[in-house]
Amino acid sequence: MPHADANSPTPLTIRLPDGRLLGLTRYGNPAHRAVVFHHGFGSSGLELAADAALLARLRLQILAPDRPGVGQSSVYRRLTFPSFADDVVAMLDALEIREPVGVMGWSVGGVHALALAARHPARVAAGQLLSTCLPLGEPAAYRHLSPLWKALRWGQVSFPWLNRTTFLWLSRQWQRHPDRTIDWFIRLMFPAEKTVTRRWRALLRDAAVQGFAHHGRGVFDDAQAWCRPPGFLIEDVRAPMRLWHGQADGVWAPGNIPYLAERLGGAPLRLLPGQGHMLYLENWAAILEEMAALLG
């Protein structure tokens, strides 16, 4: 592993028990309390703003693992929410982190955060779900999906070859023309997401380039896992959870987020007026301060 620098993000690679590699980015001082951040769909652990001073003040470190097929992480076609939760625990063991950690998840990363808390309750002290989604393959949650998300799930399940081809094409665009590709995505976004993505353009561009590594294989496998039965129960989460969601979220509308909060035992929910799917970037200091309080 490279020498850890508390003032800049540090790339690390862990050898998992089955021989696969797991890549991650560490933000902050490795001597501080650990928080695991689960990245969004089609992105990677590089999607976080590096704020060494804030992390030092709060005495936190962020560990942002890349899911299989993302960045330096090996492809694992049998990816499930429980299998990646197990990978994260193996990562914590390899880093000799025994104390229960905080967990965060942005977008579909929120479902991975829930899986970690449900499957390994002794390893999670508290969690935050940031612009999170629901598990598309759970019958109870499926009834709460919008018609658009039901259609997207149907397409992923019914025509996997078409989605595999699409993600392969997108991978080539991100690798060959990253600037042109992110500008194309920005033009397609809703206003709230467009504003924030323009502000954080370089960071999100580089995160997506790593997200679509391995010819887009990891993105496809992540989508497949999202559409299958999740393999855990939301009600099994015992750690205190906090939800953050934007009222102007153009990717995952907030209508079913109170339903998710209720399944988490009435977890506190912040609905932020005028903010969209990228709200974690705009509220990073407040989110970390809340996490530090939860862990404190």
Side-chain angles (χ1 to χ4, degrees):
M1 298 180 188
H3 176 70
D5 180 355
N7 294 314
S8 62
T10 303
L12 301 172
T13 305
I14 301 296
R15 180 71 66 177
L16 296 172
D18 64 1
R20 289 181 292 121
L21 291 179
L22 184 144
L24 68 140
T25 304
R26 169 186 265 148
Y27 301 80
N29 190 326
H32 291 164
R33 189 76 182 266
V35 178
V36 176
F37 180 90
H38 292 272
H39 63 76
F41 183 76
S43 188
S44 67
L46 297 178
E47 68 187 15
L48 295 178
D51 193 333
L54 175 64
L55 290 171
R57 176 170 65 83
L58 298 175
R59 299 187 63 79
L60 295 177
Q61 62 164 313
I62 307 293
L63 303 173
D66 292 330
R67 290 194 283 280
V70 171
Q72 297 302 308
S73 293
S74 303
V75 171
Y76 185 60
R77 297 185 63 180
R78 298 188 298 277
L79 171 67
T80 64
F81 290 113
S83 77
F84 189 63
D86 294 347
D87 289 350
V88 171
V89 169
M91 173 195 78
L92 295 174
D93 289 343
L95 295 173
E96 299 183 347
I97 295 173
R98 309 300 180 193
E99 189 176 24
V101 300
V103 62
M104 298 177 176
W106 174 59
S107 194
V108 72
V111 187
H112 283 281
L114 288 171
L116 177 62
R119 187 168 174 85
H120 298 282
R123 304 303 292 265
V124 176
Q128 293 166 303
L129 307 178
L130 314 172
S131 306
T132 194
C133 307
L134 296 178
L136 303 183
E138 185 196 68
Y142 181 84
R143 293 193 292 271
H144 291 262
L145 301 181
S146 68
L148 173 61
W149 278 105
K150 287 180 179 179
L152 289 172
R153 180 186 182 275
W154 175 80
Q156 178 70 30
V157 171
S158 301
F159 305 100
W161 58 269
L162 179 59
N163 287 280
R164 180 71 189 98
T165 301
T166 300
F167 294 143
L168 174 61
W169 178 81
L170 282 173
S171 173
R172 290 172 177 166
Q173 303 313 304
W174 280 114
Q175 306 308 314
R176 298 173 183 175
H177 312 289
D179 288 301
R180 187 171 73 188
T181 304
I182 194 166
D183 289 340
W184 178 72
F185 272 105
I186 289 173
R187 287 194 294 270
L188 296 176
M189 289 177 176
F190 289 92
E193 286 76 32
K194 185 176 295 188
T195 298
V196 179
T197 302
R198 281 175 174 160
R199 189 174 301 144
W200 297 92
R201 180 180 179 279
L203 180 145
L204 295 171
R205 176 201 63 204
D206 295 346
V209 169
Q210 292 301 307
F212 278 86
H214 301 280
H215 309 290
R217 180 80 237 181
V219 184
F220 175 77
D221 292 336
D222 205 19
Q224 289 290 98
W226 191 10
C227 291
R228 291 193 291 265
F232 70 94
L233 294 176
I234 293 172
E235 288 77 9
D236 285 344
V237 173
R238 295 291 176 261
M241 290 282 162
R242 301 291 186 271
L243 284 72
W244 294 63
H245 215 91
Q247 291 184 354
D249 194 322
V251 176
W252 194 276
N256 51 34
I257 299 304
Y259 158 76
L260 176 58
E262 185 62 30
R263 290 188 62 182
L264 289 166
L269 166 61
R270 294 174 185 255
L271 283 174
L272 305 185
Q275 299 206 25
H277 201 62
M278 327 295 291
L279 65 76
Y280 80 95
L281 287 168
E282 298 291 271
N283 298 274
W284 190 231
I287 289 167
L288 284 180
E289 286 168 356
E290 180 182 75
M291 176 57 76
L294 288 168
L295 296 178

